[in-house]
Amino acid sequence: MDFRYLGNSGLQISEITYGNWLTHGSQVENDVATACVHAALDAGITTFDTADVYANGRAEEVLGAALAGQRRESLEIFTKVYWPTGPEPMGKNDTGLSRKHIMESIDASLRRLGTDYVDLYQAHRYDLFTPLEETMGAFADIVRAGKALYIGVSEWSPEQIRAGHALARQLGISLISSQPQYSMLWRVIEPEVVPTCRDLGISQIVWSPMAQGVLSGKYRPGQPPPAGSRATDEKGGAAMIKHFLSDDTLTKVAGLHPIAEELGLSMAQLAIAWVLQNDNVAAALVGASRPEQVAENVKAAGVAIPADAMTRIDEVLGDAVNADGKQVARSTPAKRLL
């Protein structure tokens, strides 16, 4: 495993980071999820990413139980806050980035994770309905209380990142990371988010480097999605993967097979290695529903893709790539969720 510094901080994280978004607490049994976490540890992964909203807290519980007994100082544990969480019926303040929701959520996350602190606490989206000063003030108090060491954001626009970073500096805390979707097919952060973050000393921790599994090559043009795959699971991400499943896109993805073979990589390894070529990316988030998937994915660590292969990838994918920077702002929810 290779390690990279997160932003301009002194914190090093494993460049392959284990995430449990759609699996733990929902899609796979707890014993399998635990086996996947242990496979990640065996492979040298030290960084684990989750969120309170994943399976409404159960993902944090499963991750905390799986990491129990490990030396805490040897791990980097990340979680997030924003989306609605809590028992039904949820209250009006069980969402967003208000001081109330943030302060209550960090305590609940720590309890579920079985730890006294998280290394990185991230705003899972930007909250248009709470003053940014209120949000950053709450984060600052959490850092000063020792409940989080650093602060990050997820799917914030360049303007939102700049404003949050400026307030963080005024408050004496470190906003060091951005967690966006990024892959060979989804490059919307390249025009503005990445340059902004480079300027501010912020790194990317990217999710879906395999474009919801499309870049693994498992989906074929003209054929139905494989049984049990994400594209067939209405509760596990089918809606998010849909826009990658046109026959044109799948045909172009299939054209990556020869490049992967020449480099001695699987399609999934090529996809993960590709995002890690970007020097502003500190880590690629990977999940797993089977331990052997972890062992395969980590082989992308430390891989250097030659420049000519990077050019060929661009040529093969062509207009299947979305690099529209305007897409970033659309990640900000336009209305309150409760």
Side-chain angles (χ1 to χ4, degrees):
M1 181 56 58
D2 285 5
F3 296 82
R4 301 185 180 192
Y5 285 100
L6 187 55
N8 61 1
S9 77
L11 179 67
Q12 295 188 64
I13 64 175
S14 51
E15 67 177 19
I16 307 291
T17 289
Y18 188 87
N20 69 349
W21 169 33
L22 286 173
T23 51
H24 295 191
S26 55
Q27 289 185 343
V28 302
E29 297 298 326
N30 288 1
D31 57 342
V32 177
T34 298
C36 290
V37 170
H38 291 173
L41 291 165
D42 291 343
I45 291 175
T46 63
T47 311
F48 295 85
D49 179 88
T50 187
D52 58 4
V53 72
Y54 299 163
N56 197 14
R58 291 190 300 278
E60 287 183 326
E61 291 175 352
V62 172
L63 181 62
L67 292 174
Q70 301 294 320
R71 182 176 183 267
R72 177 63 182 89
E73 293 83 355
S74 298
L75 303 174
E76 303 84 47
I77 300 175
F78 303 166
T79 194
K80 313 180 196 74
V81 58
Y82 171 84
W83 298 105
T85 54
E88 297 289 349
M90 294 186 193
K92 291 294 184 182
N93 291 305
D94 287 335
T95 189
L97 297 179
S98 68
R99 180 178 182 84
K100 177 177 173 62
H101 186 57
I102 290 174
M103 302 305 280
E104 292 170 349
S105 294
I106 185 63
D107 287 341
S109 287
L110 294 178
R111 183 174 62 252
R112 288 189 290 263
L113 288 164
T115 184
D116 295 331
Y117 70 96
V118 290
D119 297 270
L120 183 70
Y121 199 39
Q122 301 159 94
H124 211 162
R125 288 298 185 274
Y126 188 86
D127 186 351
L128 290 173
F129 305 96
T130 299
L132 186 58
E133 292 81 1
E134 177 179 341
T135 295
M136 299 310 294
F139 280 142
D141 287 344
I142 285 170
V143 171
R144 293 189 186 107
K147 296 179 181 181
L149 305 185
Y150 302 93
I151 296 302
V153 301
S154 179
E155 297 292 357
W156 283 28
S157 72
E159 296 77 16
Q160 293 163 353
I161 292 170
R162 282 195 180 278
H165 183 269
L167 277 172
R169 290 193 66 178
Q170 291 175 24
L171 292 164
I173 61 173
S174 299
L175 196 166
I176 60 173
S177 69
S178 163
Q179 188 175 130
Q181 181 179 181
Y182 184 52
S183 70
M184 292 181 192
L185 293 173
W186 191 258
R187 308 185 191 180
V188 302
I189 63 170
E190 290 183 347
E192 297 182 63
V193 171
V194 168
T196 296
C197 289
R198 281 202 183 103
D199 182 46
L200 298 176
I202 293 172
S203 292
Q204 312 301 318
I205 304 166
V206 303
W207 61 272
S208 197
M210 288 182 276
Q212 310 291 311
V214 168
L215 290 169
S216 71
K218 71 169 71 173
Y219 301 98
R220 304 296 177 86
Q223 298 182 22
S229 66
R230 184 169 298 176
T232 65
D233 186 353
E234 293 301 325
K235 295 182 179 180
M240 294 190 68
I241 195 176
K242 191 177 297 183
H243 66 102
F244 289 131
L245 294 178
S246 71
D247 280 353
D248 179 63
T249 295
L250 295 181
T251 298
K252 287 173 177 168
V253 169
L256 298 173
H257 277 284
I259 301 173
E261 289 178 357
E262 289 173 18
L263 296 174
L265 302 171
S266 69
M267 289 279 284
Q269 290 161 2
L270 177 66
I272 296 167
W274 184 90
V275 300
L276 292 172
Q277 306 309 296
N278 187 320
D279 63 4
N280 191 234
V281 172
L285 284 170
V286 301
S289 55
R290 302 187 309 277
E292 54 268 28
Q293 290 176 326
V294 180
E296 284 301 306
N297 288 338
V298 296
K299 294 177 183 177
V303 170
I305 300 176
D308 64 319
M310 294 289 283
T311 299
R312 287 171 59 200
I313 288 168
D314 290 344
E315 292 170 348
V316 167
L317 293 178
D319 61 6
V321 172
N322 189 332
D324 179 8
K326 294 178 181 178
Q327 290 280 354
V328 176
R330 294 171 188 167
S331 294
T332 298
K335 61 181 181 179
R336 286 193 180 274
L337 300 174
L338 292 174

